[in-house]
Amino acid sequence: MNIVIIGKSGQLAFELSRELDNSEHQVTFLGRNDIDITNASNVEETLSLLSVDVLINASAYTAVDKAEEDTEACNAINVFAVKNLAKFCKANGAFMVHVSTDYVFNGHKGSPYLTDDPIEPQGAYGKSKAEGEKALLEILPDASCLIRTAWVYSSHGNNFVKTMLRLMADKPQLGVIDDQIGTPTWAKGLAEACVSAAFNKTSGVYHWTDEGVASWYDFALAIQELGVEKGLLDKSIPVLPIPSSQYSTPAKRPHYSVLDKQTAREAFAVCKPTHWRKQLASMLDELKA
């Protein structure tokens, strides 16, 4: 099987490369210097040389606040590129795995979002991801796997965990939002789900995060507790809970974005979700190594 992964600099691509390192399949990573996914002709020209069986789209515009002003670039990657990739897959009989986000929901439900709950994005980033989803499902309804996720981090790149560790080492105290609720997700588990979908060509819409529920404040406290325990931090500092109203951002964040994973547990049975605290501890072990 020829597996092509779009994007090779992000957290998910990093974990996909590790997951597929010893695979018996042919795996090709394409970055922005290898392919222009916003250009349909370039997509056709580049991918036609690779005999693609499965394409995993690990690229995305994820600068949530910047997207409010940079809508053209955001839509180019999150909407038009997805259309280009999906059209290529349809024309060439390839299966496509695509990753989306909790931001497609409005964040007001108060109980875990089901895969078929109504979509109502609140900002430019969420709207672009929702449009990308719509395009994928219209073009490749039976030959695609759409996986929504949230609060992704890894030992690679920039993310909340590494930011908290840096700030906790430098600041006398921190304030962290306590009224936005979701589930932290180690990119390693997400990569495992993507690979399972690719190998088995599992079509449909699924949600994948780690297990459990947390606020950003809860997440930060766990990062500090485990960071000190594992020697990544010398000491603890006061971490104070603050409401979203005290931390204004250009883009609205979902107040509640826990995703229901029941169908994913069944579809990706080989890689069952693990509680977020256990996953966090494992990732911090990597940082310490």
Side-chain angles (χ1 to χ4, degrees):
M1 183 188 296
N2 284 336
I3 301 173
V4 174
I5 296 164
I6 303 296
K8 59 182 181 183
S9 60
Q11 300 181 108
L12 177 55
F14 173 76
E15 297 295 349
L16 284 169
S17 68
R18 298 203 298 178
E19 185 69 16
L20 293 166
D21 187 43
N22 296 314
S23 170
E24 62 185 16
H25 303 290
Q26 175 68 39
V27 181
T28 304
F29 284 81
L30 298 176
R32 64 185 65 186
N33 294 327
D34 307 307
I35 186 172
D36 179 2
I37 56 175
T38 67
N39 183 301
S41 297
N42 188 259
V43 166
E44 175 68 29
E45 179 183 348
T46 304
L47 295 182
S48 292
L49 301 173
L50 297 173
S51 302
V52 183
D53 294 309
V54 177
L55 184 146
I56 302 176
N57 184 23
S59 68
Y61 184 109
T62 57
V64 175
D65 289 323
K66 189 178 178 183
E68 293 299 312
E69 295 183 354
D70 197 17
T71 53
E72 185 175 345
C74 180
N75 288 330
I77 297 170
N78 291 350
V79 183
F80 300 115
V82 177
K83 289 182 180 179
N84 292 337
L85 296 171
K87 286 178 179 177
F88 173 86
C89 288
K90 182 177 182 180
N92 292 274
F95 188 85
M96 182 168 166
V97 179
H98 176 65
V99 178
S100 192
T101 174
D102 57 320
Y103 275 71
V104 300
F105 298 116
N106 64 20
H108 302 315
K109 185 182 178 185
S111 61
Y113 279 96
L114 303 173
T115 56
D116 58 356
D117 276 339
I119 286 175
E120 190 183 357
Q122 301 296 291
Y125 165 71
K127 289 175 183 175
S128 73
K129 294 297 286 185
E131 285 298 310
E133 288 189 7
K134 181 180 177 183
L136 175 71
L137 296 175
E138 285 180 352
I139 297 167
L140 280 177
D142 302 316
S144 64
C145 182
L146 171 63
I147 302 176
R148 298 190 186 113
T149 191
W151 296 26
V152 178
Y153 67 90
S154 79
S155 59
H156 172 79
N158 299 315
N159 53 66
F160 184 79
V161 177
K162 293 168 81 173
T163 297
M164 286 295 104
L165 289 172
R166 175 175 53 81
L167 293 176
M168 288 166 176
D170 294 343
K171 302 287 185 181
Q173 71 174 39
L174 282 180
V176 181
I177 290 170
D178 70 344
D179 59 359
Q180 292 175 13
I181 309 299
T183 307
T185 304
W186 188 13
K188 182 178 186 294
L190 176 60
E192 291 170 354
C194 289
V195 169
S196 174
F199 284 0
N200 298 298
K201 296 186 177 179
T202 307
S203 62
V205 180
Y206 301 94
H207 290 164
W208 187 275
T209 65
D210 291 335
E211 295 286 14
V213 177
S215 67
W216 290 110
Y217 172 70
D218 296 327
F219 193 14
L221 288 181
I223 292 166
Q224 177 164 258
E225 176 189 331
L226 291 168
V228 170
E229 177 184 308
K230 295 178 182 298
L232 291 164
L233 293 170
D234 295 332
K235 64 182 187 309
S236 295
I237 63 169
V239 179
L240 309 176
I242 61 172
S244 301
S245 57
Q246 288 187 22
Y247 190 77
S248 180
T249 57
K252 289 179 63 177
R253 266 70 173 169
H255 281 288
Y256 183 93
S257 61
V258 178
L259 302 176
D260 183 282
K261 296 171 285 293
Q262 184 56 43
T263 56
R265 293 189 193 102
E266 298 165 358
F268 313 130
V270 295
C271 46
K272 296 186 184 301
T274 303
H275 193 273
W276 67 265
R277 278 187 63 99
K278 185 174 181 180
Q279 294 286 68
L280 174 62
S282 296
M283 191 284 268
L284 292 178
D285 284 335
E286 283 190 4
L287 281 183
K288 184 180 179 182

